[in-house]
């Protein structure tokens, strides 16, 4: 159940950062970075990555980890850097390999190709990679241990891993505490 809860929270964070990514991407692409859509995409992903770290650390994977924050943040941004390349690559291929840009195609075809390649294909590829990598390396389950290191033995009491609760004497029915 924990795995599905994390996946659901990760998806909600992903939805929120998808909105941030789209807003920044199109805000830049349709204004100051019109001739440089890949640059606009990279900036958008960087902004969305910062939002993603905060939301994933504090909500999606808050029960995981145990690493020093600086180390964890470094790993998160390394994984996100790889995700940035994965999410920008389809747009770069669409524009510069397939030449799906004006004047080779219409403005409508260019915008549809940009949306599909950057916002759908690129985001999907990066999302799958990030979920796997964040769970494996950035926010690992605290119950996993490095190779060769085993946790100290935990004593078992009657099949349980906790100390037994002291048993109380049963109360006699019909007799009050002070009337013996």
């Amino acid at each position: 159940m924990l795995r599905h809860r994390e996946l659901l929270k990760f998806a909600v964070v992903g939805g929120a950062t998808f909105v941030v990514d789209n807003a920044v991407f199109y805000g830049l692409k349709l204004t100051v970075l019109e001739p440089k859509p890949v640059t606009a995409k990279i900036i958008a992903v960087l902004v969305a990555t910062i939002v993603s770290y905060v939301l994933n650390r504090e909500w999606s994977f808050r029960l995981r980890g145990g690493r020093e924050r600086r180390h964890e943040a470094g790993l998160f941004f390394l994984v996100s850097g790889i995700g940035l390349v994965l999410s920008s690559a389809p747009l770069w291929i669409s524009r510069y390999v397939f030449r799906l840009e004006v004047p080779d195609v219409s403005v409508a075809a260019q915008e549809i190709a940009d949306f599909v390649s950057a916002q759908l294909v690129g985001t999907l590829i990066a999302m799958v990679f990030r979920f796997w990598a964040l769970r494996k390396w950035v926010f690992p389950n605290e119950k996993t241990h490095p190779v060769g290191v085993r946790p100290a033995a935990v004593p078992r009491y009657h099949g349980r891993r906790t100390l037994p609760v002291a048993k109380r004497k049963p109360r006699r029915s019909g007799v009050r505490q002070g009337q013996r």
Side-chain angles (χ1 to χ4, degrees), residues 67-142:
R67 297 183 189 279
E68 183 181 320
R69 287 288 167 126
R70 196 172 30 177
H71 184 234
E72 179 184 89
L75 286 172
F76 183 90
F77 286 103
L78 176 65
V79 165
S80 294
I82 296 167
L84 172 66
V85 171
L86 292 173
S87 70
S88 301
L91 175 61
W92 187 87
I93 291 167
S94 171
R95 279 287 184 113
Y96 305 116
V97 175
F98 296 144
R99 307 284 305 157
L100 296 175
E101 62 182 335
V102 173
D104 297 331
V105 297
S106 69
V107 173
Q110 172 184 289
E111 295 307 314
I112 291 170
D114 284 356
F115 180 77
V116 170
S117 62
Q119 302 308 100
L120 297 180
V121 175
T123 300
L124 182 63
I125 292 168
M127 181 187 70
V128 170
F129 168 74
R130 282 186 182 121
F131 183 72
W132 171 77
L134 291 178
R135 283 180 50 100
K136 181 156 180 77
W137 290 306
V138 181
F139 306 118
N141 191 346
E142 290 185 274

Side-chain angles (χ1 to χ4, degrees), residues 4-176:
H4 298 299
R5 185 177 301 138
E6 284 179 345
L7 181 59
L8 181 62
K9 287 180 177 181
F10 182 79
V12 170
V13 169
T17 56
F18 182 77
V19 171
V20 170
D21 184 357
N22 274 299
V24 174
F25 176 60
Y26 283 108
L28 293 172
K29 182 178 175 279
L30 299 175
T31 58
V32 295
L33 290 175
E34 188 175 352
K36 299 184 179 212
V38 176
T39 303
K41 179 63 179 170
I42 289 170
I43 292 169
V45 170
L46 288 173
V47 171
T49 298
I50 292 167
V51 172
S52 177
Y53 174 70
V54 172
L55 293 176
N56 277 309
R57 170 69 271 154
E58 299 302 323
W59 189 51
S60 301
F61 298 113
R62 72 182 171 89
L63 299 177
R64 290 177 161 264
R67 297 183 189 279
E68 183 181 320
R69 287 288 167 126
R70 196 172 30 177
H71 184 234
E72 179 184 89
L75 286 172
F76 183 90
F77 286 103
L78 176 65
V79 165
S80 294
I82 296 167
L84 172 66
V85 171
L86 292 173
S87 70
S88 301
L91 175 61
W92 187 87
I93 291 167
S94 171
R95 279 287 184 113
Y96 305 116
V97 175
F98 296 144
R99 307 284 305 157
L100 296 175
E101 62 182 335
V102 173
D104 297 331
V105 297
S106 69
V107 173
Q110 172 184 289
E111 295 307 314
I112 291 170
D114 284 356
F115 180 77
V116 170
S117 62
Q119 302 308 100
L120 297 180
V121 175
T123 300
L124 182 63
I125 292 168
M127 181 187 70
V128 170
F129 168 74
R130 282 186 182 121
F131 183 72
W132 171 77
L134 291 178
R135 283 180 50 100
K136 181 156 180 77
W137 290 306
V138 181
F139 306 118
N141 191 346
E142 290 185 274
K143 291 180 171 103
T144 59
H145 305 283
V147 177
V149 176
R150 292 183 0 196
V154 178
R156 291 186 175 267
Y157 298 94
H158 307 290
R160 297 180 309 203
R161 289 183 179 255
T162 59
L163 292 172
V165 177
K167 294 183 180 180
R168 287 189 255 169
K169 291 182 181 179
R171 295 175 85 186
R172 289 190 239 171
S173 61
V175 177
R176 289 189 170 171

